[in-house]
């Protein structure tokens, strides 16, 4: 019988590490290439962007054609794939910004 390979890390997962790395790269002046999402917030898009080599995903929430129900799954998939998500809001609205940050949007 084959022995199970137990190589899982015992360190707890840090969901803020992706955002800190993204911000550090910006401060260091590294060129980053991002993809913009306006209409289609599906987790499958995240994998396409990751495989294409994008460094981050920008959600155009001000002029976008979607409601907020798809956002948490999209951001969770992006975080699981190591891609930070940033978003633009239509107006400075505390509840709106809180929803984005709660969903895991980096900036």
């Amino acid at each position: 019988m084959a022995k199970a390979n137990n190589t899982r890390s015992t360190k707890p997962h840090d969901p803020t590490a992706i955002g800190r790395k993204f911000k550090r790269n910006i401060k260091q002046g590294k060129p980053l290439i991002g993809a913009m999402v306006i209409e289609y917030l599906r987790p499958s898009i995240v994998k396409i962007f990751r495989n294409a080599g994008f460094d981050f995903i920008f959600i155009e929430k001000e002029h976008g054609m979607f409601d907020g129900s798809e956002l948490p799954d999209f951001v969770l998939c992006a975080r699981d794939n190591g891609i930070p998500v940033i978003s633009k809001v239509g107006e400075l609205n505390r509840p709106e910004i809180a929803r984005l940050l709660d969903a895991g949007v980096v900036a």
Side-chain angles (χ1 to χ4, degrees):
M1 180 184 257
K3 199 173 186 182
N5 186 4
N6 194 5
T7 60
R8 284 193 169 178
S9 174
T10 56
K11 292 189 320 186
H13 174 68
D14 181 6
T16 63
I18 294 170
R20 286 196 315 272
K21 181 181 175 188
F22 176 70
K23 291 174 186 177
R24 185 172 48 248
N25 288 338
I26 289 175
K27 286 180 184 177
Q28 292 173 352
K30 292 184 179 179
L32 302 173
I33 299 174
M36 181 184 285
V37 180
I38 295 176
E39 295 181 13
Y40 191 69
L41 280 182
R42 297 286 186 256
S44 58
I45 288 287
V46 171
K47 293 182 180 182
I48 292 170
F49 289 155
R50 184 198 64 202
N51 290 335
F54 288 105
D55 297 309
F56 65 94
I57 298 172
F58 176 77
I59 298 177
E60 172 54 86
K61 197 150 171 47
E62 181 179 10
H63 301 105
M65 307 282 193
F66 48 83
D67 60 9
S69 65
E70 306 117 342
L71 185 71
D73 288 338
F74 184 83
V75 174
L76 181 62
C77 183
R79 188 172 62 203
D80 288 346
N81 282 280
I83 301 175
V85 176
I86 61 176
S87 180
K88 177 181 174 186
V89 293
E91 61 183 283
L92 191 55
N93 181 342
R94 184 180 171 101
E96 175 75 14
I97 294 169
R99 268 192 296 278
L100 289 170
L101 293 175
D102 288 344
V105 172
V106 172

